[in-house]
Amino acid sequence: LTCLVHPCRAKEIKTKLGTLLQKPDSAIDFIIPYPEKPEKPAKALKPSPEEALQWRDSLEKLLQNPYGLSSFRSFLRSEFSEENIEFWVACEDYKKTKSPVKMAEKAKRIFEEFIQTEAPKEVNIDHFTKAVTMKNLVEPSLSSFDMAQKRIFALMEKDSLPRFLRSEFYQELIK
């Protein structure tokens, strides 16, 4: 397959790609809007030790709490493994999309950023899940990423959450 792109357009694309490649940490922010993500959550939102202790039983409770989500994201960033939480957050944002046009745009961006082979922040999903997700994206719907999101949630629950619970990030919260 060959793609014929007007030379001026090719230069514009190359410039935009160069800008994204120079700023890998912030590139996703230009593509998919996420809630603010401070390095350290604001003190006012800090949960009680009792509330933070509940996170040991449920990744869902952790992710529903803005301070918990921010702490978990910061922890994963410190391990250079934030693509899973960023994908999960992108899927949550996607499911709130009302406009079919915006849904198609977001679906394409999520696919390109997290799902396709060699994506900048490719998440670790099995071949079957990837194939189902790609099939779902032929006609994007609010459930297009459900299977992949569930797989990533399970991976975070099994792998990342136990490490987070042993981390200083978490240990400081339950004191």
Side-chain angles (χ1 to χ4, degrees), residues 10 48 53 76 88 120 145 166:
S48 67
L53 280 168
L76 292 176
W88 186 87
F145 293 102
R166 291 189 300 268

Side-chain angles (χ1 to χ4, degrees), residues 93-157:
D93 176 65
Y94 173 81
K95 289 190 277 189
K96 296 174 189 163
T97 306
K98 304 276 189 263
S99 159
V101 172
K102 286 194 189 235
M103 187 181 295
E105 290 170 5
K106 285 183 180 184
K108 182 176 187 285
R109 290 179 184 140
I110 291 170
F111 175 77
E112 290 173 352
E113 194 67 27
F114 299 103
I115 303 291
Q116 77 181 5
T117 305
E118 302 295 323
K121 294 188 176 190
E122 186 176 2
V123 291
N124 186 9
I125 54 174
D126 59 272
H127 180 71
F128 176 75
T129 302
K130 188 179 281 195
V132 168
T133 302
M134 289 170 67
K135 184 175 178 262
N136 290 345
L137 293 176
V138 172
E139 290 183 37
S141 72
L142 293 179
S143 62
S144 292
F145 293 102
D146 283 0
M147 180 184 273
Q149 187 183 21
K150 284 176 184 159
R151 295 272 196 262
I152 293 304
F153 182 91
L155 181 67
M156 289 190 301
E157 193 170 46

Side-chain angles (χ1 to χ4, degrees), residues 9-120:
R9 181 78 177 131
K11 186 175 181 180
E12 178 186 333
I13 292 169
K14 186 176 177 183
T15 302
K16 285 182 180 179
L17 283 173
T19 303
L20 289 175
L21 291 174
Q22 289 173 3
K23 299 178 181 175
D25 293 333
S26 62
I28 189 67
D29 296 331
F30 295 119
I31 297 169
I32 300 170
Y34 291 115
E36 284 299 309
K37 43 185 177 184
E39 282 303 314
K40 290 208 173 191
K43 294 272 186 226
L45 300 175
K46 189 173 181 179
S48 67
E50 294 77 25
E51 188 177 359
L53 280 168
Q54 292 179 4
W55 300 345
R56 291 190 295 194
D57 304 323
S58 169
L59 177 59
E60 195 170 323
K61 283 183 184 174
L62 168 67
L63 298 177
Q64 287 172 351
N65 181 292
Y67 193 99
L69 174 60
S70 183
S71 296
F72 191 55
R73 179 182 272 148
S74 293
F75 168 72
L76 292 176
R77 190 176 299 124
S78 76
E79 290 195 330
F80 303 99
S81 62
E82 70 266 24
E83 67 279 350
N84 289 336
I85 191 65
E86 289 186 11
F87 171 71
W88 186 87
V89 169
C91 290
E92 288 298 294
D93 176 65
Y94 173 81
K95 289 190 277 189
K96 296 174 189 163
T97 306
K98 304 276 189 263
S99 159
V101 172
K102 286 194 189 235
M103 187 181 295
E105 290 170 5
K106 285 183 180 184
K108 182 176 187 285
R109 290 179 184 140
I110 291 170
F111 175 77
E112 290 173 352
E113 194 67 27
F114 299 103
I115 303 291
Q116 77 181 5
T117 305
E118 302 295 323

